[in-house]
Each structure stands twice: as structure tokens, then as C-alpha cells.
Amino acid sequence: MALSRRQLVGGAAAAVTAAATTATTATTATATTATGFTAPAPPRPPYPSLWAEYLDAPYTHPQIPYVGSAGAHGGAARLPRPPVVANALSYGADPDGAADSAPAVNRALAAAGERGGGTVLLPPGTYRIDDYLRIGDSGVVLRGAGSGRTTLVAGRSLTELIGPYGSRYGGDKSAWSWAGGLIWLSPRARHASLLAAIRERAWPFEGWTGNRRDEWTTLTTVRPARRGDRTVTVDDPAGLRRGRLVLLRLADDAGHTLLEHMAGGGPGPEAYTWDDKTKLTSYVPYEWPVRITRVEGRRVHLERPLPLDVRPEWDPRLVSGVTPLTGSGVVGLTLEAPPLPQAPHLLDRGYNGVTFQCAYDCWAEDVVVRHVDNGFGLVAASACTLRRTRVEGRGSHHPYFCREGAHDNLVEDFRVAARTVPAPSGTQLHGINVEGLSSHNVWSRGVMEMGTFDTHRGMPFANVRTEITVENNGRHGGDASAGPLYGARFAHWNVTVTNGRAGLVKLDTVAPYSATVGISEVREFDQTDVPDFPGELHARLEAYGAPGAVRPRNLYEAQRRFRRS
């Protein structure tokens, strides 16, 4: 049962009081053992003052973002199970792995789309796929018999299947190092345009408004509003209706005040040089997909609270972009690539796992990827859930990548397994990645036997990593032209660091207006970052050295229990 704000505030206040009492009496409270030795009583769990403060301003707190509705269908615990409309065996899939099953599975997925959606079953077995699998229609779910019973064995990379994919920012980098999947969920028309651009070597933008970011239509302009508001006033509601998915589009001004706002504002961001950060400025306008829940005259109610202020100098509009993919998923299977040595850094061939692109309210559940170059991708994807996913095998470049304006996604109960072979020279390991102005994404209840909390510049903001154990041995990347590592309101909450490395987990000295709560005691070594912004960062550090004991244990789940009274 969801608790009201009053119940949570009252509980938090009592918890903080109890913690303070414990702290003052810990030196005098005792317990007598059978031998007569008097020992101090164990301290109670710490309740950070930040949590009580957050409950007083849950949608506008300066350091902690509201992420309680992240994930598909508002973070629903039970995801949809569309009725079965096709069995891949009926289309010629071979569960013994002798023949290539990719054409049969793709035919079954396409047939489900033509029927308006539904589940395609992939019964127990081992299926060879010599092509990648495409889910391009809304409401289509590929369901195996479980990650331990249905296995797809991939034989060819995306470079072989589609062709080389270069970086739109130049150089000889392979964009398959951060894009595409051997199971690729993307709207049919958008996917076709992406492939055409790649084959023409006209390296595209990858998001909601087309290869050149010009495929959008204004629905209405928006009046000023504040971060955390759930309603906006529009000038023309004629094109709006309940259930419609729209994009809130915010352009920057000449003084880059939108970017400053994403960084928390104040003297540090105002003094920062933005103009020469050409990769970062290419990510603007900021595009935030959101579903309309109600229209009352010119008042429009939104599924989630606004992630930023809406100011007239940013030309705020609700626009339509490409047709989204919604309600689709992948469930209950393992995808295995050939166990080839990991490629040199940024030269990945595209043996990638599952990628969601221009997708909303989509999901993966009980899915394992093995021996992949890159594991699970969220590319301009929003409100998607990855649940009980695992990356394992010979080691990967990005086990999880979240980029190109991906927002409000949830990755929970995840695992990055230790590599089974040593890393070849010249390769790179990142971890749970976020970049490119991506915001309000959550990584929750994870075990990382390798990797790090990778922030690849591009100033992502308002992301949460909570209740995670990490062997913090990866490194972040990111070009200098991509600008700051962090915007405002990153929150790392209840993180156990098994090797004591601070980098990218302890944020109080590098991230503006952010919070590090309940992490292990750590120290700087290896890759050490300096703050991008001068002056006071307004970052917070609480319950340091107390992972596992801090309450609430999980910031996302605590916010899920919160609701407006």
C-alpha cells in the first residue's frame, strides 16, 4: 500500500530522531556478556537527514531527483503479458540449432505486428540466428521458455549484417561500440531510415526526431512552468488528447542558460565555457517523451513531473516526433555471441545484445547476454524496464549503455558477471553507462563483479544508482567536446564498493547539486576526476561508510512508496 506524504514524513522524522538519540547514547549503551565483559550495544541504522529533507520537497529537491515513476508503465511490478499469436516453430524455427532460425523468428514477429500485436513463443531449445532479430511493431513480445531453457546463438555481427557504422563526430570509430543490437527493438519506419543512412554512410542522429533532427511537428507552445509540475498550460490544445505520447522540446539560448539549468545553475555553471563543447551542444534541444493523462481546456496533465523548468527563452513546445514503439518486449531467453576476443576500444564489430531505440513502455525480463561486445542498450529510449538481466562471458565494452537522450528508464535486479577470460590489450571496460543529456534513469538492486558507474560526459543529470554492490574496476570515457561528466541531481544511495575505489561512485567532490549516501569507505586511485565547475558544488555526503545499514535501503523503492497526500 502506498503511504501518504504525512505518513512518510512522520516516519522519517521519527527515524531521524531515533538515529540522533542512538548517536548520542552509543558511547554509554552497553551489553553484558556471559563472561562479564561489557560491550557497546550495536548502533541503529543511520537515517540520513537528506531523506527527511527530500520528503519536504519530493519533486524539487536540489540534490535528489524524483524517479519514483521510472520504468515501463510507471514502474509497474507486473509487466503486460499479451496473448500468444504465433509460435516460431510454426514459421520454421529449428530448436536443435542446425538451421538458421532468424528468418523464421523475424517472420513470426512481423506476423504478430500485422495482427496488431501479441506474443511470439520461442519454445525450449538452442536456435542459431545468422541475422539480427527485429521487433518493429508496438505490442509485440518475443517470449522464450526462460533464460535457462531458450538460447539464441548468434553467428554474425552487425558489421557483417548491415555494414560499418562510423561516428558522426569523425574519426575511425565504430558506432557499433555504442549502438544497435542483435535483438533490436525500434519502430519499423524509424529503423528503416536508420539503416538507409548507415548504408549511405550519412551517419545519423539516432533519436525521436529523425536522422537530422528535423522530423518533428509543433503541436502547441507551452507556458512557463517549474520542475516538478505535473501539469502545463498550453496555447492550443487542439492536437492533444489523453494517452497521446508527445515530446517536450526545450531549445537552448545564446547564453546556454538551459545547459546551466541542467547543471544546477549558479556561479560555477555560469562561468563554464559551453560554446566549444560541440558534441554536447549537438544534443540540444532536449527532448523528453511523456504521455498525456488528461486535457482540461488548456491545462494538460502529464504522466510524470517535469524534469526541468519550462522557460520562454527556451522556446518550449510539445511536438510530435517519429512514431514510437510501445508495449513491446523480450522475455525469458539467453543470447550468446561467439566467444571471440574483445575488440580494441571503439572498434567493436557489433556482437551486441538487446537494444531499445525510440521505444516507450517497453521491457526486457529474465534475459541473459553472453560474450557480447555491448550488453543492453537504451538509445533515445524512455520509460523502459530491464528486469532480471545479466551480462556474462568473455567481457564487454559497455555492459549497459544509456545514451542519446534516454529518460525515465529502470534497470533492476541486474548483474554484470566477472569476465571468463583476461581482457585483451587495448580494450576498455565501462559498466552501467549514462550520457548524452539522459536523465531520471535508475539502476537498482544490482551486482557488478566488474565495471563502474560510467558517466561518459555529455552531461547526463538527475540519475539514480541505488542498492548496488560493485567491484569498481572500470573506467569512464567521453570526449572533451562532450562537456561535463555530470549535471545536477545524481544520487548514489546504498552502494557497497568491494575494492575500495572511489572513482565515479563517491560524487561529493565532482558532481554539482548531487548526493552520495550510504557508500563504503573508499579512496582515490587509478582514474581520478576533477570537478568541471569551479566553486561550491552544493553536493552532499551522508552515512559515509555505512552501506547496507542506511535507511531507506533503496532510494527508488522508497520513492515508489511515496505519493502526493
Side-chain angles (χ1 to χ4, degrees):
M1 179 180 69
L3 300 177
S4 71
R5 178 182 178 278
R6 179 172 296 181
Q7 287 172 308
L8 281 171
V9 170
V16 172
T17 302
T21 303
T22 300
T24 57
T25 60
T27 57
T28 57
T30 60
T32 303
T33 68
T35 62
F37 173 73
T38 301
R44 296 181 183 179
Y47 292 85
S49 60
L50 260 171
W51 178 242
E53 291 176 20
Y54 168 79
L55 291 173
D56 283 333
Y59 304 110
T60 58
H61 193 275
Q63 282 91 13
I64 299 176
Y66 173 74
V67 293
S69 56
H73 300 282
R78 291 180 61 85
L79 296 169
R81 294 178 66 95
V84 175
V85 297
N87 187 315
L89 298 184
S90 301
Y91 289 79
D94 176 11
D96 297 322
D100 175 17
S101 290
V105 177
N106 279 327
R107 284 195 299 269
L109 293 169
E114 291 168 2
R115 295 171 188 171
T119 295
V120 173
L121 289 182
L122 201 56
T126 299
Y127 299 83
R128 195 183 97 214
I129 57 168
D130 293 336
D131 197 356
Y132 70 102
L133 304 184
R134 298 177 278 282
I135 298 179
D137 298 295
S138 292
V140 174
V141 174
L142 177 62
R143 180 178 292 274
S147 60
R149 302 182 66 203
T150 297
T151 299
L152 303 172
V153 178
R156 302 173 72 193
S157 69
L158 293 172
T159 298
E160 296 170 282
L161 295 168
I162 297 171
Y165 185 5
S167 169
R168 67 175 182 258
Y169 299 104
D172 59 355
K173 302 170 185 175
S174 167
W176 299 127
S177 301
W178 57 79
L182 292 169
I183 301 176
W184 200 336
L185 296 91
S186 181
R188 185 181 297 276
R190 180 71 184 104
H191 191 74
S193 70
L194 281 167
L195 263 60
I198 292 167
R199 286 168 172 154
E200 293 168 4
R201 297 180 176 249
W203 313 131
F205 286 91
E206 299 158 279
W208 292 95
T209 51
N211 296 339
R212 294 180 297 276
R213 301 197 74 181
D214 57 358
E215 297 177 29
W216 57 275
T217 302
T218 297
L219 299 171
T220 182
T221 51
V222 183
R223 298 292 178 89
R226 300 298 302 272
R227 175 170 68 92
D229 289 349
R230 286 183 177 267
T231 61
V232 294
T233 300
V234 302
D235 291 319
D236 181 8
L240 308 179
R241 66 181 185 278
R242 178 182 177 182
R244 181 165 189 175
L245 187 65
V246 296
L247 300 176
L248 172 66
R249 185 181 189 272
L250 299 177
D252 207 358
D253 59 10
H256 298 295
T257 59
L258 176 60
L259 292 174
E260 291 174 3
H261 178 54
M262 293 175 182
E270 290 171 4
Y272 187 78
T273 301
W274 300 98
D275 284 329
D276 62 349
K277 309 303 187 296
T278 53
K279 188 172 183 179
L280 173 64
T281 55
S282 77
Y283 297 145
V284 183
Y286 176 81
E287 295 167 346
W288 180 62
V290 66
R291 200 179 299 280
I292 295 171
T293 59
R294 191 162 74 251
V295 179
E296 297 176 328
R298 294 193 298 115
R299 295 286 290 170
V300 178
H301 298 251
L302 305 175
E303 186 175 29
R304 291 174 170 84
L306 289 175
L308 295 165
D309 288 354
V310 173
R311 301 179 187 174
E313 56 265 34
W314 302 331
D315 189 24
R317 303 165 182 255
L318 295 182
V319 307
S320 62
V322 302
T323 301
L325 184 74
T326 61
S328 295
V330 181
V331 179
L333 56 82
T334 291
L335 172 64
E336 184 171 309
L340 303 171
Q342 187 177 342
H345 190 217
L346 299 177
L347 297 179
D348 294 346
R349 296 172 289 261
Y351 284 110
N352 297 343
V354 182
T355 289
F356 295 81
Q357 187 159 8
C358 298
Y360 193 96
D361 277 341
C362 294
W363 63 90
E365 189 168 17
D366 182 28
V367 176
V368 175
V369 296
R370 185 177 298 131
H371 304 316
V372 292
D373 293 336
N374 301 280
F376 293 88
L378 296 160
V379 181
S382 291
C384 294
T385 293
L386 307 182
R387 181 173 291 149
R388 292 190 293 124
T389 57
R390 179 180 174 104
V391 182
E392 62 185 31
R394 50 86 159 156
S396 57
H397 179 195
H398 295 95
Y400 292 84
F401 57 98
C402 179
R403 50 178 296 274
E404 199 80 7
H407 312 295
D408 303 301
N409 298 294
L410 170 64
V411 182
E412 67 178 356
D413 298 312
F414 67 95
R415 180 178 289 268
V416 180
R419 63 172 70 246
T420 54
V421 297
S425 176
T427 61
Q428 187 62 274
L429 166 65
H430 298 308
I432 51 175
N433 158 270
V434 60
E435 59 182 284
L437 299 184
S438 296
S439 66
H440 298 84
N441 301 288
V442 176
W443 290 262
S444 171
R445 293 199 309 263
V447 175
M448 299 174 62
E449 296 170 7
M450 64 178 191
T452 192
F453 291 4
D454 171 34
T455 302
H456 246 55
R457 299 198 175 274
M459 203 172 68
F461 65 95
N463 297 284
V464 167
R465 290 131 170 180
T466 183
E467 199 175 347
I468 297 171
T469 298
V470 55
E471 175 75 4
N472 188 17
N473 59 5
R475 300 170 66 86
H476 74 75
D479 297 335
S481 65
L485 274 169
Y486 306 98
R489 294 181 300 285
F490 262 79
H492 290 176
W493 190 289
N494 187 10
V495 179
T496 299
V497 183
T498 55
N499 63 342
R501 177 174 175 255
L504 301 170
V505 175
K506 187 173 181 289
L507 295 174
D508 59 296
T509 61
V510 289
Y513 287 96
S514 291
T516 306
V517 178
I519 71 162
S520 303
E521 291 188 12
V522 291
R523 62 186 177 88
E524 296 289 354
F525 62 90
D526 190 34
Q527 187 177 36
T528 302
D529 290 302
V530 298
D532 292 288
F533 304 109
E536 174 60 48
L537 291 175
H538 304 283
R540 302 280 291 275
L541 176 68
E542 290 197 15
Y544 183 49
V550 68
R551 297 293 183 271
R553 292 177 60 90
N554 188 294
L555 179 60
Y556 167 73
E557 291 173 1
Q559 289 191 13
R560 291 280 298 159
R561 292 190 294 270
F562 173 85
R563 70 183 181 195
R564 194 187 300 271
S565 58

